[in-house]
Amino acid sequence: MSVPRMRFCILGSGSDGNCALLQTPRARVLIDAGFSARRTNELLAGVGESLANIDAVFITHEHGDHASAICGLAKHAQIKVFANRATARVVQAKLKHTPAWQLFETGARFDFLDLQVESFSVPHDAQEPVGFLFTHQGDAAPENNGAAHSVAWLTDLGHTPRHIHEHIRNAEVLVVEANHCPEMLQADKRRPWSTKQRISGRHGHLSNHAVRELLESVESPAWRQIYLTHLSRECNSAEAIQRALAGIDAKLRCPFAIVPPGESTMFYEFA
């Protein structure tokens, strides 16, 4: 079953797993695959899809909450797995089968079916983590003006170098992590000091305040929807994010949605 236009939804987000579905008239792809293959199939069934229909998975980095499903894809030989060489090497070392790896150089721009994909480096404590910008040119019919639509996927990074600003500036949909509230992180008694330092460090995760700084620095008129994702269950909350981002929706002139840990979103339908 084809879809008439591009659409996007987050299947799940957080420390337990991260995965999104992007559909175009010709492609069905997953962005990250951080749940088991069985659980991923269940999440896909909830939106009328299945792994049998997926063309490719794009992996940002090797951590389990972004790559766990790869070990269960052996019976889905049609699924191509896109990753850079460093990420693929670490993931492959844990597998009993060899997926249909499609290796790319970090920073490369390439085509897959009717998608153009841009990868870009992000600062995180993994081998060679990346973010993605996915662009679909859209229907060339006159009534649709051949408009291009795009999704930027930006999770798991400790700070936002200038090149990241440029990669997300022209996206229609921006997915960005709001991982923790600094005060809640420091007050957490279950995490040792070393873990808190890793999370809040320059190769850890973005805090709510850091996300606000990023959004205000770029403040792109191209944005139509922002999703705040990868929330820590123990060290963040919707209320903490709303306090940190108070008033920013009026400044950005586009809605933003907070995606609680483990929850999914409705489809965003591109016009």
Side-chain angles (χ1 to χ4, degrees), residues 166-227:
E166 300 312 312
H167 281 288
I168 69 174
R169 186 178 304 280
N170 294 318
E172 181 172 341
V173 171
L174 171 62
V175 180
V176 59
E177 76 167 357
N179 178 256
H180 63 278
C181 164
E183 293 77 19
M184 292 175 69
L185 176 63
Q186 294 308 314
D188 183 36
K189 299 184 182 303
R190 286 167 289 189
R191 287 173 168 79
W193 179 85
S194 58
T195 300
K196 294 178 183 180
Q197 289 297 103
R198 183 187 67 81
I199 292 170
S200 61
R202 287 176 64 79
H203 288 78
H205 292 275
L206 291 185
S207 70
N208 299 339
H209 302 300
V211 171
R212 180 173 190 130
E213 290 177 1
L214 172 65
L215 298 178
E216 289 184 326
S217 294
V218 180
E219 197 181 335
S220 172
W223 295 340
R224 294 292 179 269
Q225 176 68 54
I226 297 171
Y227 293 102

Side-chain angles (χ1 to χ4, degrees), residues 4-8 23 172 227 266-271:
R5 59 174 68 95
M6 182 165 160
R7 61 181 188 163
F8 168 83
Q23 297 177 324
E172 181 172 341
Y227 293 102
M266 301 287 287
F267 273 109
Y268 177 89
E269 304 274 355
F270 293 79

Side-chain angles (χ1 to χ4, degrees), residues 13-62:
S13 175
S15 299
D16 295 334
N18 298 273
C19 186
L21 172 66
L22 179 60
Q23 297 177 324
T24 69
R26 291 184 56 205
R28 285 169 170 75
V29 305
L30 297 181
I31 311 171
D32 276 332
F35 300 95
S36 69
R38 175 179 294 182
R39 178 58 180 154
T40 302
N41 219 17
E42 292 172 350
L43 292 168
L44 285 168
V47 295
E49 284 291 356
S50 75
L51 284 172
N53 296 329
I54 297 300
D55 299 300
V57 178
F58 290 81
I59 302 297
T60 58
H61 63 291
E62 72 272 13

Side-chain angles (χ1 to χ4, degrees), residues 221-263:
W223 295 340
R224 294 292 179 269
Q225 176 68 54
I226 297 171
Y227 293 102
L228 303 173
T229 65
H230 213 311
L231 279 63
S232 167
R233 287 185 182 276
E234 297 83 15
C235 299
N236 210 355
S237 67
E239 293 75 20
I241 294 174
Q242 288 166 349
R243 287 195 300 272
L245 271 64
I248 199 171
D249 51 343
K251 187 173 184 180
L252 296 178
R253 300 182 300 279
C254 79
F256 65 87
I258 299 170
V259 184
E263 295 195 14

